[in-house]
Amino acid sequence: QVQLVESGGGLVQPGGSLRLSCVASGRIFSIGYMGWYRQAPGEERDLVARIIENDSPKYSDSVKGRFTISRDNAKNTVYLQMNSLKPEDTAVYYCNADILSRYGGNVYSYWGQGTQVTVSS
């Protein structure tokens, strides 16, 4: 069984920073796609940033230049560094990863439980 667990959310003032982490655990052979999404109340879940090995990270226009996604393959972890936070960044942030549990098996997409980020003065 595979689990994704996010951490690092919280309350921050506008202009502040937070760093989210998402650790994958369980039976893992390899991880391909890793991404961060967010969902505000009453809205759909949207892609914030994604990272794939041997490819440049991609960001939504709303966070480009402020957020940075990175990964540590040795730790099965993806990070989201969020700077210059705005009230409109307030949402539940979810990580998503495509994981192969064994060689020759199938790749499955997994989601974390989400972590709340609130930007308010």
Side-chain angles (χ1 to χ4, degrees), residues 4-103:
L4 299 183
V5 178
E6 301 104 334
S7 62
L11 173 64
V12 63
Q13 291 187 342
S17 298
L18 283 174
R19 189 193 194 207
L20 305 183
S21 301
C22 173
V23 181
S25 63
R27 188 172 181 179
I28 298 171
F29 180 80
S30 66
I31 303 177
Y33 172 97
M34 300 187 88
W36 285 97
Y37 294 72
R38 66 186 181 187
Q39 187 169 21
E43 298 188 13
E44 294 186 352
R45 190 175 297 186
D46 293 323
L47 176 67
V48 175
R50 64 90 166 154
I51 186 167
I52 304 173
E53 280 200 276
N54 303 317
D55 192 14
S56 301
K58 297 289 191 275
Y59 300 92
S60 67
D61 288 342
S62 61
V63 307
K64 205 171 292 183
R66 300 187 297 122
F67 291 10
T68 302
I69 188 171
S70 62
R71 63 192 284 172
D72 185 334
N73 292 331
K75 296 181 179 179
N76 291 331
T77 301
V78 61
Y79 305 96
L80 186 68
Q81 177 66 45
M82 305 185 295
N83 299 328
S84 303
L85 283 160
K86 305 175 181 180
E88 50 264 43
D89 294 318
T90 295
V92 178
Y93 284 69
Y94 298 90
C95 72
N96 173 237
D98 290 345
I99 296 175
L100 179 67
S101 290
R102 61 177 179 86
Y103 180 77

